[in-house]
Amino acid sequence: MTPETEAALAEIVKSAEGPLRIVGGGTRDIGAPVVGEALSTAGLSGVTLYEPGALTLVAQAGTPVAEIEAVLAAEGQRLAFEPMDHRALLGTDGTPTIGGVVAANVSGPRRIQVGACRDSLLGVRFVDGMGCVLKNGGRVMKNVTGYDLVKLMAGSWGTLGVLSEVSLKVQAVPEAEATLVGRGMEAGAAVKVLSAALGSPYDVSGAAVSGDAALVRLEGLGDSVSYRVKRLLDAACAGWEVVEGEASAALWRDVRDVTSFAGRAGTVWRVSVKPSDGPALVAALGGPEAILDWGGGLVWLLVEEDAAARVRAEVARLGGHATLVRAPDAIRATIPAFQPEAAPLAAISRGLREKFDPRGILNPGLMG
């Protein structure tokens, strides 16, 4: 089912007699396989309002991210939160949609500077589990009534409602970009340098360890970037290589999309911990291949298929959060993809789902 209007979407949900599997472009197949009739938002497509001067954009949920990026690029603007494209990592087809990005709260390396997807979200329209159309927030930054519900929908994975429209604040594309690259460091030492760079006054927009390279990104006006590069080379990043322009952007696309794990055997985990705990987690698991983003606070792990219990145990010990992003269907059906919640939080989550989807038909079982 692929409705082309919000009213048609609402009618489908209202008249549904069984579970619905909510999809956007079908590129983020994460979590327990949902048994239900597929309901795609891909037919709800198009940018409905764009005000470059106000740095705001409104689009229907099924609008391809590539289309939005093209519209923004024509005005020298972009999505600040740098959403990941999961297709290479997950081996999926389809077209990423802006509704899917918001529903999964997909946020890239620039999160350390500008926040997550939810922090760029100004308003939403969605259909709840009873087929009612709800709207919350606004279309411009000065109108943020109901902001908490807007944030709640980001990362709800279609379990609270089916998004039909989203409003976002956007950002000007910077004049220049440069990445400082340091090689040959042990992960713990690299994270200490990243922490020093992030704690400096030089407005770092990316800090990661990928393969044998530690990466620190700077963006902004050309003279400003040059000055900040020099200051970091004189201090925390002494002796590092400098990569600029498109070559720098390519490095961060690889970090953002975890391309080094694409097409390789093993399960992929996305783990959030304190930045200082990132290297310790990797060491405790025996040194599997890892990418450390967000200054060490976001750890991508490529591990054996039987490592789930060890990953969850070590993450729990560190007080972190682990999501199973890629695994065979048999594993996905038996191991919860999302971090088990403490009892009080689980009760709140259950209550929210019962309020927004009392029939339990929207992506049932996806999040436990």
Side-chain angles (χ1 to χ4, degrees):
M1 297 179 289
T2 310
E4 296 185 356
T5 66
E6 185 180 71
L9 171 64
E11 183 56 34
I12 288 172
V13 175
K14 182 178 180 179
S15 61
E17 297 181 353
L20 296 173
R21 180 168 60 89
I22 314 303
V23 297
T27 65
R28 296 180 180 87
D29 191 11
I30 296 173
V34 175
V35 178
E37 191 170 4
L39 172 57
S40 171
T41 62
L44 301 170
S45 184
V47 174
T48 55
L49 176 68
Y50 177 37
E51 297 182 355
L55 296 174
T56 56
L57 177 142
V58 181
Q60 294 189 76
T63 309
V65 173
E67 179 180 328
I68 289 175
E69 291 176 336
V71 170
L72 293 173
E75 297 291 338
Q77 296 179 349
R78 67 184 181 184
L79 295 171
F81 53 91
E82 205 171 1
M84 176 183 182
D85 185 340
H86 285 77
R87 285 177 291 185
L89 177 64
L90 299 182
T92 53
D93 297 319
T95 301
T97 64
I98 194 63
V101 166
V102 170
N105 191 35
V106 180
S107 313
R110 203 174 290 113
R111 185 187 187 281
I112 58 173
Q113 182 191 54
V114 302
C117 170
R118 64 165 56 92
D119 297 300
S120 290
L121 193 60
L122 299 173
V124 293
R125 293 179 65 94
F126 63 97
V127 176
D128 70 8
M130 295 301 291
C132 298
V133 177
L134 305 176
K135 63 179 180 178
N136 199 244
R139 289 186 161 202
V140 294
M141 281 183 275
K142 63 185 178 183
N143 180 4
V144 291
T145 304
Y147 220 48
D148 287 347
L149 183 53
V150 171
K151 299 291 184 70
L152 186 65
M153 293 302 294
S156 62
W157 289 87
T159 60
L160 301 180
V162 186
L163 289 167
S164 56
E165 182 184 87
V166 298
S167 308
L168 297 159
K169 60 180 178 181
V170 299
Q171 181 187 69
V173 175
E175 180 180 284
E177 170 182 336
T179 296
L180 286 74
V181 183
R183 300 190 184 277
M185 286 186 292
E186 179 268 331
V191 166
K192 288 182 180 178
V193 177
L194 298 184
S195 296
L198 287 166
S200 75
Y202 303 126
D203 200 19
V204 170
S205 69
V209 180
S210 180
D212 69 343
L215 310 171
V216 173
R217 180 175 60 188
L218 301 168
E219 298 175 291
L221 296 174
D223 289 346
S224 171
V225 170
S226 297
Y227 171 78
R228 287 180 281 145
V229 164
K230 183 177 185 303
R231 294 305 300 265
L232 283 174
L233 288 175
D234 289 341
C237 303
W240 287 24
E241 173 191 1
V242 180
V243 178
E244 299 178 312
E246 175 54 29
S248 170
L251 289 174
W252 289 98
R253 283 195 295 271
D254 287 343
V255 172
R256 181 195 72 183
D257 297 342
V258 197
T259 55
S260 62
F261 292 178
R264 298 174 56 189
T267 58
V268 175
W269 290 81
R270 180 184 185 275
V271 181
S272 293
V273 291
K274 291 186 299 184
S276 58
D277 286 339
L281 171 65
V282 177
L285 292 172
E289 190 166 344
I291 296 171
L292 283 71
D293 200 357
W294 301 354
L298 174 64
V299 183
W300 292 93
L301 297 169
L302 180 64
V303 299
E304 302 87 352
E305 292 182 359
D306 62 354
R310 285 185 291 132
V311 171
R312 281 267 159 81
E314 290 300 331
V315 171
R317 181 179 64 83
L318 294 170
H321 182 284
T323 301
L324 179 60
V325 173
R326 191 188 74 195
D329 283 352
I331 293 177
R332 292 170 56 207
T334 57
I335 297 175
F338 300 94
Q339 183 77 19
E341 296 175 324
L345 185 57
I348 293 172
S349 297
R350 195 163 49 248
L352 285 170
R353 287 196 293 270
E354 290 172 356
K355 176 67 69 174
F356 285 95
D357 180 24
R359 295 185 292 164
I361 64 170
L362 302 180
N363 279 347
L366 178 66
M367 301 183 73

